[in-house]
Amino acid sequence: MSSMTKPPVIPVEKPRDIEDWLWVGIPIALLTIIIGYLIYKHAGSFTLESFKAGFNSDLAFYLMVGVMAQLVDGALGMGYGATATSFLLTLGVPPAVSSTSVHLSEMFTTGASAISHFKFKNINKKLFKTLLIPGVIGSVIGAYLLSDVIDGNVIKPFISAYMVVLGCIIVSKGIKKNNVKKPTKRLGVLAIFGGFMDAVGGGGWGPIVTSTLIGRGRDPRYTIGSVNAAEFAVAFASGVTFLLFEGINSWQVVLGLMLGGMIAAPLGAYLVNRVNRRPLMVIVGLLVIFLGLRVVLKAIL
């Protein structure tokens, strides 16, 4: 008697729940609102002549900076703001304009990065939710102070010195061996501080938050994905604050960084678990130190 063969089981794809759709829908909706606001607010200031004139070697340079910064940030979970701001300060861009440009572009690059990390399943949702609100609070406070209270020309050398410190942190994390996992307390305080320094200095969310969590032994893949996803809300909050108090003073910088970052975001999310992070961290950290020291020495001498 021949045994009966069972019919093959056809796997049924599990439908996405509402929360999964929100991970993609919320960034897209918020970015659409910002684009509409920018078109409504600044459309009259853009003429065809100025638009054509903006497509020059400077825009190409900002585009390359955006690509490089986002590849670094996507693979390491840090470095977009530090890398981009260091280059802008070196070129003589004022701190408020640098930070505004970086955070406006980060609205779009971190949105693309958050969606990409979600697609590659790199996000720990509990960690993301814990960092979200405190990070936003810190970034709004920092953006307001830099836009409306602090004199950018006075603080510029100090921000460059802060970039040197960030570079040292990145290098030290690249040299240091992985630690045994330890409980991380006061995540809210860490997120507030990271968001504040990110807004004031034009970078720091990743080097402060990501490096601390990985230094405590957390899994790099989920730490990087979660911190990058939360960075979208942090960058969005500070970017809106800069828009309200500072406005857009250099659309060319914003456009170059934004397009470059959005192009590189999916590749950065793909590389997060496929590159040797330690040598790359050392190289990026040394670059940030070099650029920061140039501005500091120029201010002193």
Side-chain angles (χ1 to χ4, degrees):
M1 185 175 177
S2 60
S3 58
M4 296 180 63
T5 59
K6 294 182 179 180
V9 178
I10 301 175
V12 179
E13 185 177 352
K14 183 181 177 182
R16 291 185 176 183
D17 55 26
I18 295 177
E19 185 178 0
D20 286 345
W21 287 110
L22 290 177
W23 279 96
V24 178
I26 289 178
I28 293 176
L30 291 175
L31 294 178
T32 302
I33 292 172
I34 286 297
I35 291 173
Y37 169 81
L38 292 176
I39 292 174
Y40 170 77
K41 188 76 174 177
H42 299 281
S45 61
F46 292 107
T47 62
L48 183 61
E49 289 74 18
S50 65
F51 191 70
K52 289 180 179 179
F55 282 85
N56 51 31
S57 58
D58 289 341
L59 180 62
F61 176 78
Y62 298 136
L63 182 70
M64 288 188 293
V65 171
V67 169
M68 181 180 66
Q70 186 58 43
L71 283 176
V72 169
D73 191 78
L76 299 180
M78 65 183 77
Y80 181 91
T83 304
T85 302
S86 296
F87 273 110
L88 295 178
L89 291 176
T90 302
L91 293 173
V93 180
V97 176
S98 298
S99 195
T100 300
S101 302
V102 167
H103 285 90
L104 285 177
S105 65
E106 277 189 316
M107 284 183 178
F108 297 88
T109 59
T110 55
S113 181
I115 294 172
S116 300
H117 279 295
F118 171 73
K119 292 289 186 181
F120 287 106
K121 296 180 172 61
N122 296 337
I123 296 175
N124 179 321
K125 294 181 181 179
K126 182 179 179 182
L127 177 60
F128 165 80
K129 293 175 182 177
T130 303
L131 298 173
L132 186 64
I133 301 301
V136 167
I137 293 173
S139 68
V140 170
I141 295 173
Y144 167 72
L145 290 177
L146 185 60
S147 297
D148 206 48
V149 178
I150 302 173
D151 185 347
N153 293 325
V154 174
I155 200 175
K156 183 176 179 178
F158 297 98
I159 292 178
S160 296
Y162 166 66
M163 288 297 160
V164 173
V165 174
L166 283 186
C168 293
I169 292 174
I170 296 173
V171 171
S172 68
K173 296 300 180 182
I175 296 174
K176 193 175 182 181
K177 294 182 179 180
N178 293 333
N179 295 331
V180 179
K181 185 174 182 179
K182 303 173 185 177
T184 308
K185 300 179 180 179
R186 299 184 179 88
L187 284 177
V189 176
L190 175 66
I192 289 175
F193 179 68
F196 176 83
M197 294 306 297
D198 186 81
V200 172
W205 172 257
I208 291 172
V209 180
T210 304
S211 64
T212 298
L213 295 179
I214 292 179
R216 302 294 291 179
R218 284 182 173 265
D219 182 270
R221 173 184 174 183
Y222 295 107
T223 299
I224 292 171
S226 305
V227 174
N228 272 21
E231 189 177 12
F232 168 68
V234 172
F236 192 88
S238 58
V240 169
T241 305
F242 279 123
L243 274 178
L244 294 175
F245 289 96
E246 184 71 20
I248 298 180
N249 296 316
S250 181
W251 69 268
Q252 198 181 37
V253 180
V254 176
L255 183 63
L257 295 179
M258 180 185 71
L259 292 178
M262 292 181 70
I263 291 170
L267 180 58
Y270 173 78
L271 292 174
V272 67
N273 214 29
R274 292 170 175 81
V275 297
N276 191 338
R277 300 179 66 252
R278 293 176 65 186
L280 184 58
M281 289 178 74
V282 173
I283 293 172
V284 171
L286 290 175
L287 175 62
V288 172
I289 292 172
F290 170 73
L291 293 173
L293 283 175
R294 282 191 62 186
V295 178
V296 173
L297 293 176
K298 187 176 180 180
I300 294 175
L301 301 177

